Amino acid sequence: MSAVVLATACAVVYGTADFFGGLATRRSRVFAVVVLSQLAGLAFVTMLLPVLPGGYAPAALGWGMAAGLGGAAGLVLFYWALANGVMSVVAPVTATVSAAFPALFGLASGERPQPATLAGVALALVAVALVSREQSGTASRTTMKPMLAALASGAGFGGFFILLDQAPADTGMWPLVGARVASITMVVALALATRRPLRPGRGALPVIAAAGVLDMLANVLYLLAVQRGMLVVVAVLASLYPASTLVLARYVLGERLRPVQVAGVVGALVAVGLIAIP
């Protein structure tokens, strides 16, 4: 299976996981959703270890743990920025940086996609910004600190993609085990330090578990994709995940898409087509 197909599937699954995560946070505290969903993801990837090819290596766990810390730090900063800034500004800034950071790193590392692929990557970055935009009437809340936190959050998420790519290709899913162990440890420590409850709301556990398993499945697809293709392509395609979240929200919850978001979804489809050109 090609890297483009795997990365596109990764974006769809990431978006579906976020949809379930959003449903879960309506019934439970954020820290409870994050910790329990990541525990479910860790159990899922552990079951996959004997099935998928690859062997254990200390370097795999090391790179995975570094990626997990970057992703967890990005998540904490993202939630802080959402709470203290304007969501319609924070979300697209974070999503765009998380896509652009790996793309720039890949180009700096010597990756040279075809012109059509580069055009698709550029269009995908625009699409990420468009589909991430949300309506807000409180633009005055945008300050420098939330903007800096949004930029740092995007760098954390982008760092997750980059660091996973550094793990040896023959170590299978072991980098994801390291990533989950590190991120769970960090988030649990933060929850205990801030005295946040980790008990899920009534009836929320199945939704939380589904979000965690889907998120890990997306990570597996990403790792398989980046082992087969260029980081500059795979990471940007994976970052198109907000499009599938929007589509699910539209047809499952009946939420309306704004015209700018529809344009972003269309742009994402065109971008995938351009990147897929051989």
Side-chain angles (χ1 to χ4, degrees):
M1 192 175 294
S2 73
V4 172
V5 173
L6 287 167
T8 304
C10 168
V12 173
V13 179
Y14 265 141
T16 306
D18 280 358
F19 175 75
F20 277 95
L23 292 179
T25 53
R26 296 183 178 183
R27 306 177 186 179
S28 302
R29 301 275 185 170
V30 169
F31 272 89
V33 172
V34 172
V35 172
L36 294 175
S37 65
Q38 293 205 352
L39 283 171
L42 178 60
F44 177 67
V45 75
T46 302
M47 291 188 296
L48 291 180
L49 288 176
V51 179
L52 296 176
Y56 168 78
L61 280 182
W63 284 113
M65 292 180 75
L69 290 175
L75 188 63
V76 172
L77 288 167
F78 182 59
Y79 283 137
W80 186 90
L82 289 177
N84 293 276
V86 178
M87 191 175 294
S88 61
V89 176
V90 169
V93 167
T94 299
T96 305
V97 172
S98 70
F101 200 51
L104 293 174
F105 181 87
L107 291 173
S109 301
E111 295 182 350
R112 293 295 179 266
Q114 297 295 322
T117 302
L118 276 176
V121 168
L123 180 58
L125 291 174
V126 175
V128 168
L130 293 178
V131 299
S132 301
R133 292 201 66 84
E134 299 183 41
Q135 195 164 9
S136 173
T138 57
S140 60
R141 291 179 58 203
T142 302
T143 62
M144 183 59 67
K145 286 184 178 180
M147 282 296 295
L148 291 175
L151 290 169
S153 171
F157 293 144
F160 176 82
F161 289 139
I162 293 171
L163 291 168
L164 278 184
D165 183 45
Q166 307 308 304
D170 59 351
T171 54
M173 298 299 112
W174 280 102
L176 296 179
V177 175
R180 272 297 174 266
V181 170
S183 61
I184 290 171
T185 302
M186 179 177 176
V187 176
V188 168
L190 284 172
L192 293 176
T194 56
R195 298 183 180 181
R196 302 294 177 87
L198 296 178
R199 180 179 298 177
R202 180 175 297 178
L205 194 56
V207 181
I208 293 174
V213 170
L214 287 169
D215 180 67
M216 181 53 72
L217 176 59
N219 288 334
V220 170
L221 291 170
Y222 170 79
L223 199 53
L224 291 172
V226 84
Q227 290 170 355
R228 291 164 169 77
M230 290 182 285
L231 177 66
V232 64
V233 172
V234 172
V236 171
L237 283 177
S239 297
L240 290 171
Y241 63 87
S244 56
T245 306
L246 288 176
V247 172
L248 284 170
R250 170 66 181 87
Y251 290 103
V252 177
L253 300 180
E255 295 182 1
R256 297 185 62 181
L257 298 183
R258 300 171 61 210
V260 66
Q261 293 174 319
V262 174
V265 172
V266 173
L269 295 174
V270 176
V272 171
L274 286 171
I275 292 173
I277 295 175

